[in-house]
Amino acid sequence: MNVNKEHISFEDSDRDDTINIREQLEKYLIHWKWFLLGVFFAFIGAYTYLRYTPRQFNAQAVILIKENKKAGVSAELKAFEDLGILGGSTNNLDNEIEIIKSRKIIREVIRNLKLNISYFVEGRITETELYKSSPFRIHFDSKDSVFSQIDTAFQVSVIDKHNFNLISLEGSKLGPYKFDTFIETKLGKIKLQKKISEAEDFDVKEIKVYISTIDQMIDNFQSKVNIVPINKNSSVIALSINDVVKDKAVDFLDELVSAYNRDAILDKNQVSKKTKDFIEERLEIVGENLSSINNKLKDFKAKNKITNVKAESALILESLAKNNTKIVETSIQLSLVKALNTVLLKSNNNEESILAVNLGLEDKSIPQLIVEYNKLIIAKKKLLRTAGKLNPQVVNITEQIKGLKSSLTQSLQNSEKSIKLTLTNLQKEDARIKAIISGVPLQELQLQDIRLQQEITSGLYSYLLKKKEETAISLAVTVANAKIIDKAYGNNIAVSPKRRTIYLGAIFLGVLIPFVIIYLINLFDTKIHNKADVVDSVSIPFLGDVPKSEDKSKIVIGADARSSSAEAFRLIRTNLDFMMMDKKGRSKTIFVTSTTSGEGKSFISINVAASLALSGKKVLLMGMDLRAPKVTEYLGLPDRKGVTNYITDNDLDLDSLIFNIEDVKNLDIISSGVIPPNPAELLMTKRTENLFTIVKEEYDFIIVDTAPVNLVTDTLLIAKHADMFMYVARANYLDKRLLAVPQNLYNEKRLPNMAMVLNATDPKRSYGYGYGGYGYGYVVVEKPWYKKIFTRS
């Protein structure tokens, strides 16, 4: 009975499909030097990056966007509510943010601060910008100089307090030139204005000047500035920007808010300015008429020598005066309506004009329509700053303007008709009264007509003067859109690059890169390395593994040998007793084979035979690899007669072939002999069978070194004479895919009583306990530090 065969592999029968975390970690911890080196170089890279990367500073500002609701007018402005010039709609916060970030606003900021001109001084490593500390500033002869439309750079080389040279990037020198004096260049006139006094000297002699296009700078600042609401229910927004120069970031935000407020005030004043222009135009016309009437009155009185009206016509003239007052008021209304209608008819879809409001029209619906019309005009102009004419919102507002314009035109026409009718009735009443007083002298009636014209014109002139003052007040009290809550402030702590993040990232990369490399190496590595690789790939019982020996001798086991290799062979010898317990009392023939050549089967054969001989057994080592005999070569002995000679020479005695070595007692050896031309046929002869019959009777163990099974058929031909097969696989040599060969032989039972032996394992890559180290006189194998961490107490 074959007892406990599967138990020899210790772990074979009950395979655990779960991941062994310790084993997986040890695959990487064995290369701890790689990880240490990776982290070191990653730290060097991070330090270099931080050393040469300019630091970025953050500046922030907080503003409140005021709501333009009429109900929310501040207390100081309520006194002007009756003027009808403070109404408006609520600001849309998203729209205001887009306006702040618009190219128009940022362009104004860049022009005002001259941010398209940068001054740098060369340092030991990098260039440093002289934002406010530059000893001079460049000025162009015009705001739209060619220099603001191109990218250029040059170097200013200071000669003394008064003179300098210009040096191009190609190295050509121009000059000398004087400070504070315009210089003629191909691109226009420029002036370098000193910021230092005559008593001071230049600290820096060489300064590089970079001039960028305005559009390029707009794109740069638009991408950097960040504007967000504090929360959804608030009109407070936060502005922030990062820049290499903290003061530049602070100045940019402050100027950005100022430019936005100036633009908002300009928008708010559009209606008031339009009204003022209209009133001034009418005042000029009415003033001329009034002057003409006054001159006419003076001439009439002088010609007719009229000084007073007759007493008897006093009452009639009083009625006439009241009627005349109504005629004056009605004429004023008619004049205003006609003027508004004329302005409205002159405007078209592309150039809608804002209409004057608060003109005192009796028809209250017309001022309301004018206010709504002006709101739509302003809203459309705002949208056109950030959107095209085909934008759905723009098209929608345009349609609303057309509809409102049509309604307003119709209302003005209806009002004009109504006023004309009223004026006709008043004029009839005037004619009736005049007919009553027909007795009044003709000169007095003519004088009354002139005075009536004077009164009408004078009243209209006074009315327009009053409205002009009201409009001037509205212009004076216009407030900004944004209230500054916190002015721009920059922290001296750099926000980029983040040193801690960079170093943490360096540690991560320093560990990740070696990890990926090792993972890829392991992924594409198809060699077997340790017992786990064999046990996971085949179901054949595992007899033992033999570590690679640093000893150059071929026989590593001896009576006093305490190396890890010697202990490995002792363990194999013990396991052989379990494997062959059913053969007790008989000779035990153990064949040693492998998949390919070079796996160390001859080394295993010699040392297994030596280990059995050391136990007091009579052992025969027989070389049956007739094609590539290795036994005598491994032992350093000259070639001699052996198995081949015995099979081919019937007269040859077996005893004449046996020899011994001094190192191992109780061990007889028969070499393979000469290499025959037909080894397979020789092994099939009766003489071969007789050989095994004879030696089984004489020895306790016969160790047979055979040929590789995957290369030739020799081993399979004599497999019937074996009680057991030791199948040798070499670590770091045999491809895992070739383990299918022994597995198939095991499944098909073509090699009896098979067991695997792993040869030349690396103790450092062994994911388990090594040999020795138990404190009983054995050689202690020092474990790596990472194995000490995971060793159980």
Side-chain angles (χ1 to χ4, degrees), residues 91-143:
N91 289 328
N92 185 301
L93 196 59
D94 291 336
N95 289 343
E96 298 306 314
I97 290 175
E98 291 302 318
I99 292 174
I100 296 175
K101 292 180 67 175
S102 67
R103 298 183 69 86
K104 174 187 175 183
I105 302 296
I106 295 180
R107 181 186 297 275
E108 183 180 349
V109 174
I110 293 171
R111 284 188 180 277
N112 292 343
L113 297 179
K114 295 186 177 180
L115 296 179
N116 61 317
I117 307 174
S118 303
Y119 307 87
F120 286 86
V121 60
E122 189 74 33
R124 289 185 301 173
I125 300 173
T126 58
E127 295 179 342
T128 303
E129 183 174 358
L130 304 174
Y131 174 59
K132 289 184 176 180
S133 57
S134 175
F136 59 84
R137 280 288 183 267
I138 291 181
H139 298 277
F140 304 124
D141 63 334
S142 65
K143 186 176 181 181

Side-chain angles (χ1 to χ4, degrees), residues 66-81 86 477 479:
K66 299 177 182 178
E67 296 183 354
N68 287 334
K69 288 185 177 179
K70 191 169 183 178
V73 176
S74 59
E76 59 269 23
L77 298 181
K78 284 185 177 180
F80 305 105
E81 281 184 323
L86 297 178
V477 299
V479 294

Side-chain angles (χ1 to χ4, degrees), residues 134-273:
S134 175
F136 59 84
R137 280 288 183 267
I138 291 181
H139 298 277
F140 304 124
D141 63 334
S142 65
K143 186 176 181 181
D144 297 322
S145 172
V146 178
F147 277 102
S148 63
Q149 302 171 14
I150 61 171
D151 279 327
T152 185
F154 54 86
Q155 182 171 314
V156 177
S157 178
V158 178
I159 300 174
D160 52 39
K161 294 181 180 180
H162 306 287
N163 303 287
F164 63 92
N165 287 322
L166 293 180
I167 302 174
S168 67
L169 295 183
E170 292 77 19
S172 58
K173 183 184 292 186
L174 298 174
Y177 300 108
K178 290 186 177 296
F179 287 104
D180 302 324
T181 303
F182 275 105
I183 303 169
E184 282 284 357
T185 69
K186 295 180 180 179
L187 301 177
K189 292 182 179 180
I190 62 171
K191 178 175 67 174
L192 273 65
Q193 185 174 358
K194 288 190 301 181
K195 292 176 60 180
I196 61 174
S197 65
E198 289 296 326
E200 294 177 304
D201 198 1
F202 283 91
D203 294 331
V204 183
K205 298 295 185 180
E206 305 290 336
I207 299 175
K208 288 185 178 180
V209 179
Y210 295 92
I211 301 177
S212 304
T213 63
I214 297 292
D215 289 334
Q216 180 181 342
M217 296 305 297
I218 292 173
D219 293 336
N220 180 29
F221 279 101
Q222 269 190 327
S223 63
K224 292 197 301 183
V225 68
N226 186 33
I227 306 174
V228 294
I230 295 296
N231 56 60
K232 294 181 179 179
N233 300 321
S234 172
S235 295
V236 178
I237 61 176
L239 299 84
S240 64
I241 190 172
N242 294 341
D243 199 272
V244 176
V245 182
K246 182 192 71 174
D247 292 339
K248 182 192 289 188
V250 171
D251 291 347
F252 175 82
L253 290 183
D254 284 338
E255 183 61 25
L256 184 66
V257 175
S258 298
Y260 166 70
N261 277 335
R262 288 194 296 269
D263 184 72
I265 290 174
L266 187 62
D267 278 348
K268 287 182 179 181
N269 286 338
Q270 284 187 38
V271 174
S272 297
K273 285 183 177 180

Side-chain angles (χ1 to χ4, degrees), residues 258-515:
S258 298
Y260 166 70
N261 277 335
R262 288 194 296 269
D263 184 72
I265 290 174
L266 187 62
D267 278 348
K268 287 182 179 181
N269 286 338
Q270 284 187 38
V271 174
S272 297
K273 285 183 177 180
K274 196 70 178 179
T275 302
K276 182 181 178 183
D277 293 341
F278 174 80
I279 292 174
E280 287 177 347
E281 181 182 351
R282 297 301 302 164
L283 275 173
E284 185 178 355
I285 297 172
V286 173
E288 293 176 356
N289 292 338
L290 182 59
S291 176
S292 175
I293 292 171
N294 288 335
N295 290 333
K296 184 179 179 180
L297 177 62
K298 182 182 67 174
D299 294 340
F300 182 84
K301 283 187 174 182
K303 180 180 179 181
N304 295 282
K305 298 180 180 181
I306 297 175
T307 59
N308 198 4
V309 182
K310 292 182 179 181
E312 59 266 20
S313 60
L315 295 176
I316 298 175
L317 290 177
E318 183 180 353
S319 299
L320 182 63
K322 291 181 180 179
N323 191 65
N324 287 341
T325 301
K326 292 181 181 180
I327 292 174
V328 170
E329 293 174 352
T330 306
S331 298
I332 291 173
Q333 292 285 320
L334 182 61
S335 176
L336 293 175
V337 169
K338 285 182 177 181
L340 284 174
N341 200 21
T342 301
V343 173
L344 187 64
L345 292 175
K346 287 182 180 179
S347 65
N348 53 51
N349 292 335
N350 295 326
E351 297 181 0
E352 293 95 344
S353 298
I354 296 175
L355 300 179
V357 296
N358 192 31
L359 297 177
L361 297 178
E362 291 185 357
D363 189 346
K364 300 302 181 182
S365 64
I366 293 177
Q368 293 176 1
L369 289 174
I370 291 175
V371 170
E372 294 299 322
Y373 180 80
N374 288 340
K375 287 180 185 178
L376 291 175
I377 297 297
I378 293 173
K380 180 179 178 181
K381 288 183 178 181
K382 271 193 174 184
L383 277 175
L384 286 175
R385 294 179 185 174
T386 56
K389 293 182 178 180
L390 298 180
N391 184 280
Q393 293 187 24
V394 175
V395 173
N396 183 36
I397 290 179
T398 302
E399 292 300 322
Q400 292 183 45
I401 291 172
K402 287 182 180 179
L404 196 57
K405 182 178 179 181
S406 176
S407 300
L408 186 56
T409 302
Q410 187 63 42
S411 297
L412 288 172
Q413 291 175 352
N414 292 339
S415 180
E416 184 178 351
K417 291 178 182 179
S418 176
I419 293 172
K420 283 182 177 180
L421 181 61
T422 302
L423 186 60
T424 300
N425 293 333
L426 289 173
Q427 289 173 345
K428 289 180 179 180
E429 179 65 16
D430 181 71
R432 186 185 68 81
I433 294 174
K434 288 179 179 178
I436 295 175
I437 58 173
S438 56
V440 178
L442 179 61
Q443 292 87 353
E444 194 66 28
L445 291 176
Q446 290 175 344
L447 178 62
Q448 189 66 26
D449 286 339
I450 295 173
R451 285 179 175 174
L452 175 60
Q453 294 177 17
Q454 183 190 39
E455 188 177 351
I456 292 173
T457 306
S458 177
L460 178 59
Y461 189 80
S462 298
Y463 177 83
L464 291 175
L465 282 175
K466 177 184 176 183
K467 292 302 177 184
K468 180 181 178 181
E469 289 302 314
E470 291 175 353
T471 306
I473 292 172
S474 71
L475 285 171
V477 299
T478 302
V479 294
N481 243 24
K483 176 183 178 181
I484 299 175
I485 298 176
D486 289 325
K487 292 190 68 175
Y489 170 78
N491 199 314
N492 290 323
I493 300 175
V495 296
S496 173
K498 298 182 181 296
R499 300 179 65 87
R500 184 174 300 178
T501 303
I502 296 297
Y503 280 121
L504 287 176
I507 295 175
F508 176 75
L509 285 177
V511 173
L512 178 64
I513 293 174
F515 178 86

